[in-house]
Amino acid sequence: MYQYRLLFYFIIILMQVGCKKDFLDKQPLSSLAPETFFHTESDLRLYTNSFYSVMPTAEEIYYESEGCADNTAVTTMTVAVRGARVVPTSGGGWTWTELRKINFFLDNSFRAENEDVRKRYEGVARFFRALFYAKMVQRFGDVPWYSHALDAKDEEGLLRPRDSRVLISDSIMADLDFAVAHLPATKSIDQVTKWTALALKSRFGLFEGTFRKYHTEFNLPGYEKLLEACADASKALMMAGVYAVYTSTPSKAYQELFAFENANPTEIILARVYDASLSVFHDVNFHTLSASYGRPGMTKSLVNSYLMSDGTRFTDISRYDTLQFYEETRNRDPRLAQTIRTPGYTRMGETRPVLPQLSNSITGYQIAKYVTEPTKDAANRCSNDMPVFRYAEVLLNYAEAKAELGILTQEDIDISIKLLRNRVGMPNMNLASANAAPDPYVGNEYKNANGANRGVILEIRRERRIELYRENFRFNDLMRWKEGHLLAAPFKGMYFPRLGNYDLDHDGTIDLVLYQGTKPTMPNPQPQFVMYGDIELQNGAQGGNIITNPLIDKKFVEAKDYLFPLPTQELLINPGLKQNPGW
Amino acid sequence: MLMNQLKLYVVQKSTLNFYCCLLLAILLGSISCYGQSQFIAGTVVDDNGKPLQGVSVSVLIADSSLTTMQTDNRGVFRFDNLRTGSSYRFKFSYIGFEDVLTKTFAIADKSENLLIRMKPSQQSLNEVVVVGYGRQKKVNLTGAVTQLSGSELEDRPVSNLAKTLQGLIPNLNINFASGIPISEGNLNIRGNTSINGGDPLVIVDGVAGDMNRVNPRDVESVTVLKDAAASSIYGARGAFGVILITTKTGKSGKPKIAYNNNFGWATQTSSTDFMTSGYEAAILNDTANLRSLGISYTGYTAADYEELKKRINDKEENPDRPWAVIQNRGGKDQYVYYGNFDWWHFLYNQWQPQQDHNITVSGGNDKTTYYLSGGYRTQEGIWNIRPDQSKRYTLRSKISSELTTWLKVTNNTQFFQQKYAFSGSNDFSWGKTFDEHTLPSYLPVNPDGSFTYLTGLNSYRIGNGWHTNQLYGKSKGERDRIDLRNIIDATAKISKTISVTGNFSYSYTSRLSWDRAVKVPYSLYPGVMSIVPTYNTDELSEYRETIDYKVYNLYGTYENKFGPHSLKFMAGYNQEEWKNKEQMASRRDLLSEDLNDLNLGTGLMEVTGGSNEWALLGFYSRINYDYKGKYLLELNGRYDGTSRFKKGDRFGFFPSVSAGWRLSEEDFFRPLSRIVNNLKIRASYGSLGNQQVGNYAYIPIMNTATMNYLMNNTLTQYVGVPPAISPTLTWEKVTSTNLGLDIDMLRNRLSVSVDLYERKTIGMLTKGKTLSAVFGANPPQENAADLKTKGFELSVGWRDTKKLLGKPLTYSARFILSDYTGRITKFDNPNNLLSDYYVGEQLGDIWGYTIDGFFMTAAEANAHSVNQDFVNKRRLSAPGIYKKLQPGDLRFVDLNGDKIINSGTNTLDNPGDMKVIGNSQPRYQFGVNMDLAWNGFDIGIFLQGIGKQDWYPPSEVTSFWGPLAYPYTSFLPKNFSAMIWTPENPDAYFPILRSYIAQNAELSFPNNRYLQDLAYVRLKNLSVGYSLPQSVTRKLKLERCRFYLSGENLVTLTKLDSKYIDPELMSTTPDGRAYPFSSKVFSFGVDITF
């Protein structure tokens, strides 16, 4: 019949259209699969690029979070600084996604055809693994070590107990040695090189060496080996002659270094790069100059630490603690005037001097480091590059490691700290006189420093605190030195003998009015008005130093606060994990 | 007396084309004449000869009704004074029986007596229901199926089909996550599907489609297939039910033109009468923040508060006390704001107009029919400054032709276009942005006409700059979508018993959206303009997606009767391919603020792409068998394959079986058949698959992306780590069991349908058990969890005709009720962590604490021996005395007596002081539909609601928590101050004011005191219409003309403790972070048929 024939043809046609072979095989059209990847250099580069997401952002560098410790007071202190940490249910830094990323690469890099290329990018991966574990050790102490990406069915791997930090440190050092051996020696401001690996080795060696030395409660062996590794790595970098301390006019060089649009390749080993033309901005001006983000201000204890410009101690001056802003900022280590606003400070690109604003700085010592031209003051308009690894740190690490090992010589100081002092025109540090008369003021802060080198160790710590201000070192430094009690001390600001009118820069006009009750009227130009109550002074309305966060009790528990707690959910899932002591 | 025999014929009622025509000539009894008296009388009886009372009898002259009466208790009627020589017809109608229309006959010079025998209506028995790949008589259905006719969806001033269906079909659960004019409904059938979600499959005219693309006016019927038996013919996609939408088809006859429109105004269902006192709002926010953080939020000084106080009663700005003044602060002149500004009504439109126009032309001859329709709809959104607007155009052309006696070809084209244009930024998440930092003391515009943004007294941004962006008006965007679909369908009648249907459908979708951002200026210092930092980029970005979707179907049906046995067999093949392609391009720094084209860009450009595809094919078959229409059996099966699983796991076979027994057809049932016209019990069981997983779920995909880390002065491109993939990923299996009962009673006036079901979802794809964090990735998806859902549906309907003031009054009412609960029956969570699913968990359970009131005195608070620190986190870092428990703080009950309030180990075995305090799933969803028509008037009432649903307000619901959540809440309830605990107000609802405690402290932990019940009943729709009588329409040369008024969501009754919150919205979007609902709509319209 006609119909049947037609139907038959119709079905045949439909089958032709429809039943293609592998009709149901649909592979991804716009993404890749591992089997076909990891073969070429470009594959390896593209994958290892993903590791750079852990590099600190500008905010993590200047904002510092708990890193600001007792250096910078802010309106809202982090829980770690306040001593209000609680055991989290999950998270809390116990995050391992970055490690999986890295180990997945190391598990698959064998597919690469070229041996040299493979080793180079394995070097990148192992650098980042060392960086990952260094952070974990700093935060949690003992952690489990994994050298391969875990399989979901690998019960044994998933339920491993923690490995000793001694083992972890050895593994970190091994990774870094591999990275040093295989990473390129060509300088790069934004990619890791042999020099970045050495800088990390120097940084971690010092951390772990001093941590073991001072935290005797953990009975950790072999601090000397780590300090030696730090000194050696630092020395290797110093001897290679690829980096130097940036110098120009002593009264400007330090400030310039952090305001450069493009990181200075002489001193900066690795930077976080920002670029206005790509609209990749950070927020340091707005953060530092507005009331929006915690009103950061340098603390009085740090201001006190800056030496006089002749190398003598400010705190040796009698009644140094009742000197007012104008007097206390005169003739100091030039870095002070390049780090905070002091009388005569002008914004970049301007000539009109500006004074610190108490409304934007909780201590009155308003920060100038990193701050650039006023055209970038709106939120998120800054694009000056931020230092992640800087040669100056390596020099400081070197001197400190040697001092802690008890083998520091004046020559060591001359090839390290002297360079930093020279930049700003400060006299050199003298080993003998430092040890002969340890500074009682700084010595009172670092109670645990001891031994024959105590004096010079105090001086190196002073130097480090000043030089590396606002680069996110301070919290870890206090932890490794076992000086957590400094967090619990009250943070103070400027000294005002009484309420009333102040001429901060001694130019004959009133700049600041501290008042109580009704706001006084003043002739133009209008000064800053600060109502007592918006700030608190040590002796109430009778004057004294500004007390920041007067209502907040801070504490630091020696028995537990040097390490962070593990999340409870993890302890439950893996009974092999034990909580850190005291938590 | 002369006896004349007259033959009267029941006139065949015009029915749908698929109706079997019942041509039953009824020979009626003798008609007598009574000499000169010229009356006509008669008796009406049923098919058993019993008289029928209350039958409506009309006398018609030339088809128009002259007069109407009803039969008496003996079934007798009588019309007197009929004019001799005129031609009359008589029409008999009675609910539950088929209408009888007599032949026209002239009244001779004598009276006549008629005997009318009425036959029970076959309508409900003959009703045909659309099922997968075919149609079936409703009485023969064995699965759980509900059908609704398109006429039930008319007169609703709503934007799409999903909205009209909400609440009409039991256990077809529809909700909307947002009130944006282009919002689309979330569909669900029978509750919990899978923990991965699972939507019902929507089939439009035989091809998988989208309900939102169909003009509600084009809908002929909507059928919902709920159980496995009904939906397993759709195999891998029918696991969670199927919705079949059939569009209208032309009917042969002269061209019929119909036009209808609707003009409406939409407004909010919840109160918008917020606090507008600048002083009161500032003091609430500041007090809260001082107690939590020790700092003022607004930064207003005591002097500023004095100024605010002076203006406290100024509803309008008083020139003596301006709301914005220039003051020197910190050495600079700046604006300081002291307003009592009503931000809500400034930002949002109170009455949002909408209109709808539809025109259809249909008709045809006995070979060819056509149906053409066009629709246009426009609706404004809630933005007031520059209203957003959606426009929708729909077109449908359906032409069907019988080419030969055995071949019929239909072409069905659907066009849909939607444009949504808005001003401002593209953040449709309607985040916190909208309800923070717009305190009534702040103003949107400075005295010099510049826009506000910063207050200068604190670091926060007024309204986050949203109003600034809106006022400037240069940032804008559009969301456009075009769907074009064509279905060619050919049905060949090979023989009397066999027919074959093949169809091919091609759909093309184009989505285009663009967003333009410009730099937005504001002013804080008089005369100084600055750029809003969050709107400081000048950029145009365009996104385009195209989708190709092809569907092939071929199926054949064999149908035959062998004595008492009826057999129907259907088998077919289905194949589908879907592929999309995406492009995004953006360009910075355009040469114009008003023109929006990538060509104008001068700055940074960015381009990304993407593409996905899937395919599936399946073989399906169905066998229907019945014996004498009493015993019904149906078998379904489908063998399905999908591209979404790897070879070897790709295919699945999904069978189902269902059976029915029509007790009412049994002999033993006869005594009851006077009351019960139809009684059927049904049962079904079936297994289905769920393939609703990612397109490439089994492949470890490595994606490329860029990040903000700059390398070599460009954004770094990288390839990311692939997700962890389980090697054994396959179908989720869904088995479903259904028991059903259908009864039609009392002359089919009462119909009841009940279904009980259990649905097991087995091997749900889930992350498996929570792995230790050292795994470093989300645990791979595995078929590792099972879920069981139980529920029921009930539908009770009544329809009847009565007489009121001599005119027939028809009315009907329908009540539907449904419910379900779901329980996890398998999940790899050995420690029974509450943060994960655990075996035995009832879905939706809310774990929380118990509160037994406030501390009334400081002594009481100090003496409290239970440590509440865990739930009072915020208090611990509060300044001064607020660090300690205060009078007015909440007292938590130490359920486990360990003197400390906490969550224990947050496990089932040790939940600390928590217990299950409620359940967040909606229970007892119901709807009531009532219609009434009389003398041209019609009234429709539709109520909808839920019986119970617990909801713990998340911190984001600022209209509930106010400054207890955030100290910068903008829209505070007017009576908020009175709800806060103070020593003078010890019976307050809320505790002592502290900011952030609903965000991360005591009020953020669910507890019994603030748990809300969202139960509501809502007058969803009320419509009143009037149709012009035929005497008038005829003069106007119209066939039909009806005017109506309609109102949506006019009244809501709820147990919720806040009039500022819409319970229906919260039931869908618990944090309320959605484009507000403006679902109260008043509208009117006209329906004209030429």
Side-chain angles (χ1 to χ4, degrees), chain A residues 444-466:
Chain A
N444 190 42
E445 289 182 331
Y446 305 123
K447 298 176 195 298
N448 290 326
N450 53 37
N453 267 343
R454 178 164 176 268
V456 78
I457 285 172
L458 296 179
E459 289 308 317
I460 291 169
R461 289 183 183 184
R462 177 207 305 282
E463 194 71 19
R464 183 178 178 91
R465 189 180 183 190
I466 288 166

PDB file of all heavy atoms in Angstrom, chain A residues 444-466:
ATOM      1  N   ASN A 444      62.194  46.076  78.129  1.00  0.00           N
ATOM      2  CA  ASN A 444      60.998  45.863  78.934  1.00  0.00           C
ATOM      3  C   ASN A 444      59.889  45.233  78.099  1.00  0.00           C
ATOM      4  O   ASN A 444      59.006  44.560  78.616  1.00  0.00           O
ATOM      5  CB  ASN A 444      60.551  47.207  79.515  1.00  0.00           C
ATOM      6  CG  ASN A 444      59.462  47.020  80.543  1.00  0.00           C
ATOM      7  OD1 ASN A 444      59.551  46.095  81.361  1.00  0.00           O
ATOM      8  ND2 ASN A 444      58.456  47.871  80.498  1.00  0.00           N
ATOM      9  N   GLU A 445      59.925  45.502  76.785  1.00  0.00           N
ATOM     10  CA  GLU A 445      58.900  44.914  75.910  1.00  0.00           C
ATOM     11  C   GLU A 445      59.214  43.451  75.614  1.00  0.00           C
ATOM     12  O   GLU A 445      58.341  42.601  75.694  1.00  0.00           O
ATOM     13  CB  GLU A 445      58.834  45.704  74.597  1.00  0.00           C
ATOM     14  CG  GLU A 445      58.216  47.093  74.787  1.00  0.00           C
ATOM     15  CD  GLU A 445      58.087  47.870  73.490  1.00  0.00           C
ATOM     16  OE1 GLU A 445      58.907  47.654  72.572  1.00  0.00           O
ATOM     17  OE2 GLU A 445      57.160  48.690  73.393  1.00  0.00           O
ATOM     18  N   TYR A 446      60.472  43.192  75.248  1.00  0.00           N
ATOM     19  CA  TYR A 446      60.827  41.809  74.877  1.00  0.00           C
ATOM     20  C   TYR A 446      61.434  41.127  76.081  1.00  0.00           C
ATOM     21  O   TYR A 446      62.646  41.055  76.239  1.00  0.00           O
ATOM     22  CB  TYR A 446      61.784  41.824  73.687  1.00  0.00           C
ATOM     23  CG  TYR A 446      61.229  42.599  72.506  1.00  0.00           C
ATOM     24  CD1 TYR A 446      61.931  43.667  71.952  1.00  0.00           C
ATOM     25  CD2 TYR A 446      59.995  42.245  71.951  1.00  0.00           C
ATOM     26  CE1 TYR A 446      61.413  44.379  70.886  1.00  0.00           C
ATOM     27  CE2 TYR A 446      59.482  42.968  70.884  1.00  0.00           C
ATOM     28  CZ  TYR A 446      60.183  44.032  70.359  1.00  0.00           C
ATOM     29  OH  TYR A 446      59.671  44.732  69.311  1.00  0.00           O
ATOM     30  N   LYS A 447      60.591  40.591  76.926  1.00  0.00           N
ATOM     31  CA  LYS A 447      61.024  40.028  78.200  1.00  0.00           C
ATOM     32  C   LYS A 447      61.820  38.741  78.032  1.00  0.00           C
ATOM     33  O   LYS A 447      62.600  38.369  78.880  1.00  0.00           O
ATOM     34  CB  LYS A 447      59.805  39.748  79.091  1.00  0.00           C
ATOM     35  CG  LYS A 447      59.014  40.996  79.437  1.00  0.00           C
ATOM     36  CD  LYS A 447      57.773  40.628  80.245  1.00  0.00           C
ATOM     37  CE  LYS A 447      56.765  41.753  80.324  1.00  0.00           C
ATOM     38  NZ  LYS A 447      57.257  42.969  80.989  1.00  0.00           N
ATOM     39  N   ASN A 448      61.580  38.033  76.917  1.00  0.00           N
ATOM     40  CA  ASN A 448      62.185  36.714  76.784  1.00  0.00           C
ATOM     41  C   ASN A 448      63.550  36.723  76.101  1.00  0.00           C
ATOM     42  O   ASN A 448      64.226  35.710  76.077  1.00  0.00           O
ATOM     43  CB  ASN A 448      61.252  35.768  76.018  1.00  0.00           C
ATOM     44  CG  ASN A 448      60.045  35.408  76.851  1.00  0.00           C
ATOM     45  OD1 ASN A 448      60.161  35.287  78.074  1.00  0.00           O
ATOM     46  ND2 ASN A 448      58.892  35.279  76.214  1.00  0.00           N
ATOM     47  N   ALA A 449      63.929  37.851  75.503  1.00  0.00           N
ATOM     48  CA  ALA A 449      65.252  37.897  74.865  1.00  0.00           C
ATOM     49  C   ALA A 449      66.320  37.777  75.937  1.00  0.00           C
ATOM     50  O   ALA A 449      66.200  38.400  76.984  1.00  0.00           O
ATOM     51  CB  ALA A 449      65.396  39.198  74.081  1.00  0.00           C
ATOM     52  N   ASN A 450      67.337  36.989  75.673  1.00  0.00           N
ATOM     53  CA  ASN A 450      68.348  36.801  76.710  1.00  0.00           C
ATOM     54  C   ASN A 450      69.700  36.472  76.099  1.00  0.00           C
ATOM     55  O   ASN A 450      69.861  36.470  74.885  1.00  0.00           O
ATOM     56  CB  ASN A 450      67.912  35.695  77.679  1.00  0.00           C
ATOM     57  CG  ASN A 450      67.567  34.410  76.934  1.00  0.00           C
ATOM     58  OD1 ASN A 450      68.219  34.081  75.942  1.00  0.00           O
ATOM     59  ND2 ASN A 450      66.537  33.714  77.393  1.00  0.00           N
ATOM     60  N   GLY A 451      70.645  36.210  76.923  1.00  0.00           N
ATOM     61  CA  GLY A 451      71.965  35.793  76.479  1.00  0.00           C
ATOM     62  C   GLY A 451      72.881  36.982  76.212  1.00  0.00           C
ATOM     63  O   GLY A 451      72.508  38.146  76.403  1.00  0.00           O
ATOM     64  N   ALA A 452      74.085  36.634  75.754  1.00  0.00           N
ATOM     65  CA  ALA A 452      75.120  37.637  75.559  1.00  0.00           C
ATOM     66  C   ALA A 452      74.713  38.655  74.511  1.00  0.00           C
ATOM     67  O   ALA A 452      75.090  39.824  74.566  1.00  0.00           O
ATOM     68  CB  ALA A 452      76.421  36.941  75.135  1.00  0.00           C
ATOM     69  N   ASN A 453      73.960  38.204  73.523  1.00  0.00           N
ATOM     70  CA  ASN A 453      73.552  39.101  72.452  1.00  0.00           C
ATOM     71  C   ASN A 453      72.249  39.838  72.732  1.00  0.00           C
ATOM     72  O   ASN A 453      71.658  40.408  71.830  1.00  0.00           O
ATOM     73  CB  ASN A 453      73.409  38.308  71.147  1.00  0.00           C
ATOM     74  CG  ASN A 453      74.691  38.334  70.338  1.00  0.00           C
ATOM     75  OD1 ASN A 453      75.555  39.178  70.586  1.00  0.00           O
ATOM     76  ND2 ASN A 453      74.811  37.420  69.399  1.00  0.00           N
ATOM     77  N   ARG A 454      71.763  39.808  73.972  1.00  0.00           N
ATOM     78  CA  ARG A 454      70.459  40.382  74.260  1.00  0.00           C
ATOM     79  C   ARG A 454      70.357  41.818  73.757  1.00  0.00           C
ATOM     80  O   ARG A 454      69.383  42.203  73.120  1.00  0.00           O
ATOM     81  CB  ARG A 454      70.183  40.318  75.765  1.00  0.00           C
ATOM     82  CG  ARG A 454      68.862  40.943  76.136  1.00  0.00           C
ATOM     83  CD  ARG A 454      68.396  40.563  77.524  1.00  0.00           C
ATOM     84  NE  ARG A 454      67.169  41.269  77.829  1.00  0.00           N
ATOM     85  CZ  ARG A 454      67.124  42.453  78.445  1.00  0.00           C
ATOM     86  NH1 ARG A 454      68.243  43.038  78.840  1.00  0.00           N
ATOM     87  NH2 ARG A 454      65.979  43.042  78.656  1.00  0.00           N
ATOM     88  N   GLY A 455      71.398  42.589  74.016  1.00  0.00           N
ATOM     89  CA  GLY A 455      71.370  44.002  73.631  1.00  0.00           C
ATOM     90  C   GLY A 455      71.196  44.177  72.147  1.00  0.00           C
ATOM     91  O   GLY A 455      70.347  44.947  71.680  1.00  0.00           O
ATOM     92  N   VAL A 456      71.969  43.429  71.362  1.00  0.00           N
ATOM     93  CA  VAL A 456      71.894  43.633  69.921  1.00  0.00           C
ATOM     94  C   VAL A 456      70.609  43.016  69.355  1.00  0.00           C
ATOM     95  O   VAL A 456      70.029  43.524  68.381  1.00  0.00           O
ATOM     96  CB  VAL A 456      73.160  43.104  69.200  1.00  0.00           C
ATOM     97  CG1 VAL A 456      73.136  41.589  69.051  1.00  0.00           C
ATOM     98  CG2 VAL A 456      73.310  43.775  67.830  1.00  0.00           C
ATOM     99  N   ILE A 457      70.148  41.957  69.997  1.00  0.00           N
ATOM    100  CA  ILE A 457      68.865  41.371  69.550  1.00  0.00           C
ATOM    101  C   ILE A 457      67.743  42.392  69.711  1.00  0.00           C
ATOM    102  O   ILE A 457      66.923  42.583  68.823  1.00  0.00           O
ATOM    103  CB  ILE A 457      68.584  40.065  70.327  1.00  0.00           C
ATOM    104  CG1 ILE A 457      69.485  38.945  69.809  1.00  0.00           C
ATOM    105  CG2 ILE A 457      67.104  39.663  70.184  1.00  0.00           C
ATOM    106  CD1 ILE A 457      69.442  37.672  70.627  1.00  0.00           C
ATOM    107  N   LEU A 458      67.775  43.115  70.833  1.00  0.00           N
ATOM    108  CA  LEU A 458      66.754  44.154  71.031  1.00  0.00           C
ATOM    109  C   LEU A 458      66.847  45.211  69.949  1.00  0.00           C
ATOM    110  O   LEU A 458      65.822  45.680  69.422  1.00  0.00           O
ATOM    111  CB  LEU A 458      66.920  44.801  72.412  1.00  0.00           C
ATOM    112  CG  LEU A 458      66.712  43.896  73.630  1.00  0.00           C
ATOM    113  CD1 LEU A 458      66.943  44.693  74.926  1.00  0.00           C
ATOM    114  CD2 LEU A 458      65.303  43.296  73.634  1.00  0.00           C
ATOM    115  N   GLU A 459      68.069  45.577  69.598  1.00  0.00           N
ATOM    116  CA  GLU A 459      68.250  46.609  68.573  1.00  0.00           C
ATOM    117  C   GLU A 459      67.783  46.111  67.198  1.00  0.00           C
ATOM    118  O   GLU A 459      67.187  46.854  66.422  1.00  0.00           O
ATOM    119  CB  GLU A 459      69.722  47.063  68.512  1.00  0.00           C
ATOM    120  CG  GLU A 459      70.158  47.876  69.721  1.00  0.00           C
ATOM    121  CD  GLU A 459      69.238  49.052  70.022  1.00  0.00           C
ATOM    122  OE1 GLU A 459      68.833  49.765  69.068  1.00  0.00           O
ATOM    123  OE2 GLU A 459      68.893  49.260  71.212  1.00  0.00           O
ATOM    124  N   ILE A 460      68.073  44.831  66.896  1.00  0.00           N
ATOM    125  CA  ILE A 460      67.652  44.279  65.598  1.00  0.00           C
ATOM    126  C   ILE A 460      66.123  44.225  65.537  1.00  0.00           C
ATOM    127  O   ILE A 460      65.516  44.522  64.514  1.00  0.00           O
ATOM    128  CB  ILE A 460      68.287  42.885  65.379  1.00  0.00           C
ATOM    129  CG1 ILE A 460      69.800  43.029  65.171  1.00  0.00           C
ATOM    130  CG2 ILE A 460      67.655  42.187  64.176  1.00  0.00           C
ATOM    131  CD1 ILE A 460      70.566  41.727  65.205  1.00  0.00           C
ATOM    132  N   ARG A 461      65.522  43.863  66.662  1.00  0.00           N
ATOM    133  CA  ARG A 461      64.054  43.830  66.687  1.00  0.00           C
ATOM    134  C   ARG A 461      63.488  45.233  66.497  1.00  0.00           C
ATOM    135  O   ARG A 461      62.470  45.412  65.831  1.00  0.00           O
ATOM    136  CB  ARG A 461      63.558  43.233  68.005  1.00  0.00           C
ATOM    137  CG  ARG A 461      63.840  41.740  68.079  1.00  0.00           C
ATOM    138  CD  ARG A 461      63.289  41.135  69.342  1.00  0.00           C
ATOM    139  NE  ARG A 461      63.642  39.720  69.419  1.00  0.00           N
ATOM    140  CZ  ARG A 461      63.226  38.902  70.393  1.00  0.00           C
ATOM    141  NH1 ARG A 461      62.467  39.373  71.371  1.00  0.00           N
ATOM    142  NH2 ARG A 461      63.589  37.641  70.399  1.00  0.00           N
ATOM    143  N   ARG A 462      64.113  46.227  67.116  1.00  0.00           N
ATOM    144  CA  ARG A 462      63.687  47.618  66.921  1.00  0.00           C
ATOM    145  C   ARG A 462      63.754  47.963  65.430  1.00  0.00           C
ATOM    146  O   ARG A 462      62.818  48.506  64.853  1.00  0.00           O
ATOM    147  CB  ARG A 462      64.610  48.561  67.716  1.00  0.00           C
ATOM    148  CG  ARG A 462      64.277  50.052  67.498  1.00  0.00           C
ATOM    149  CD  ARG A 462      65.490  50.961  67.688  1.00  0.00           C
ATOM    150  NE  ARG A 462      66.168  50.811  68.963  1.00  0.00           N
ATOM    151  CZ  ARG A 462      65.746  51.337  70.127  1.00  0.00           C
ATOM    152  NH1 ARG A 462      64.659  52.058  70.160  1.00  0.00           N
ATOM    153  NH2 ARG A 462      66.441  51.152  71.228  1.00  0.00           N
ATOM    154  N   GLU A 463      64.909  47.631  64.852  1.00  0.00           N
ATOM    155  CA  GLU A 463      65.130  47.953  63.446  1.00  0.00           C
ATOM    156  C   GLU A 463      64.073  47.281  62.560  1.00  0.00           C
ATOM    157  O   GLU A 463      63.518  47.884  61.649  1.00  0.00           O
ATOM    158  CB  GLU A 463      66.527  47.459  63.043  1.00  0.00           C
ATOM    159  CG  GLU A 463      67.020  48.003  61.732  1.00  0.00           C
ATOM    160  CD  GLU A 463      67.380  49.484  61.807  1.00  0.00           C
ATOM    161  OE1 GLU A 463      67.589  50.003  62.931  1.00  0.00           O
ATOM    162  OE2 GLU A 463      67.406  50.129  60.739  1.00  0.00           O
ATOM    163  N   ARG A 464      63.790  46.022  62.880  1.00  0.00           N
ATOM    164  CA  ARG A 464      62.845  45.247  62.085  1.00  0.00           C
ATOM    165  C   ARG A 464      61.438  45.846  62.190  1.00  0.00           C
ATOM    166  O   ARG A 464      60.732  45.996  61.208  1.00  0.00           O
ATOM    167  CB  ARG A 464      62.848  43.798  62.594  1.00  0.00           C
ATOM    168  CG  ARG A 464      61.959  42.859  61.809  1.00  0.00           C
ATOM    169  CD  ARG A 464      62.075  41.427  62.355  1.00  0.00           C
ATOM    170  NE  ARG A 464      61.190  40.538  61.622  1.00  0.00           N
ATOM    171  CZ  ARG A 464      61.543  39.864  60.542  1.00  0.00           C
ATOM    172  NH1 ARG A 464      62.784  39.960  60.075  1.00  0.00           N
ATOM    173  NH2 ARG A 464      60.677  39.088  59.921  1.00  0.00           N
ATOM    174  N   ARG A 465      61.065  46.206  63.413  1.00  0.00           N
ATOM    175  CA  ARG A 465      59.727  46.737  63.628  1.00  0.00           C
ATOM    176  C   ARG A 465      59.522  48.037  62.841  1.00  0.00           C
ATOM    177  O   ARG A 465      58.464  48.271  62.265  1.00  0.00           O
ATOM    178  CB  ARG A 465      59.520  46.994  65.130  1.00  0.00           C
ATOM    179  CG  ARG A 465      58.116  47.348  65.506  1.00  0.00           C
ATOM    180  CD  ARG A 465      57.981  47.578  67.001  1.00  0.00           C
ATOM    181  NE  ARG A 465      56.613  47.860  67.376  1.00  0.00           N
ATOM    182  CZ  ARG A 465      56.239  48.284  68.582  1.00  0.00           C
ATOM    183  NH1 ARG A 465      57.141  48.457  69.538  1.00  0.00           N
ATOM    184  NH2 ARG A 465      54.969  48.511  68.838  1.00  0.00           N
ATOM    185  N   ILE A 466      60.589  48.851  62.816  1.00  0.00           N
ATOM    186  CA  ILE A 466      60.504  50.147  62.133  1.00  0.00           C
ATOM    187  C   ILE A 466      60.556  49.966  60.621  1.00  0.00           C
ATOM    188  O   ILE A 466      59.723  50.484  59.883  1.00  0.00           O
ATOM    189  CB  ILE A 466      61.647  51.063  62.625  1.00  0.00           C
ATOM    190  CG1 ILE A 466      61.345  51.505  64.058  1.00  0.00           C
ATOM    191  CG2 ILE A 466      61.863  52.235  61.696  1.00  0.00           C
ATOM    192  CD1 ILE A 466      62.525  52.112  64.777  1.00  0.00           C
TER     193      ILE A 466
END
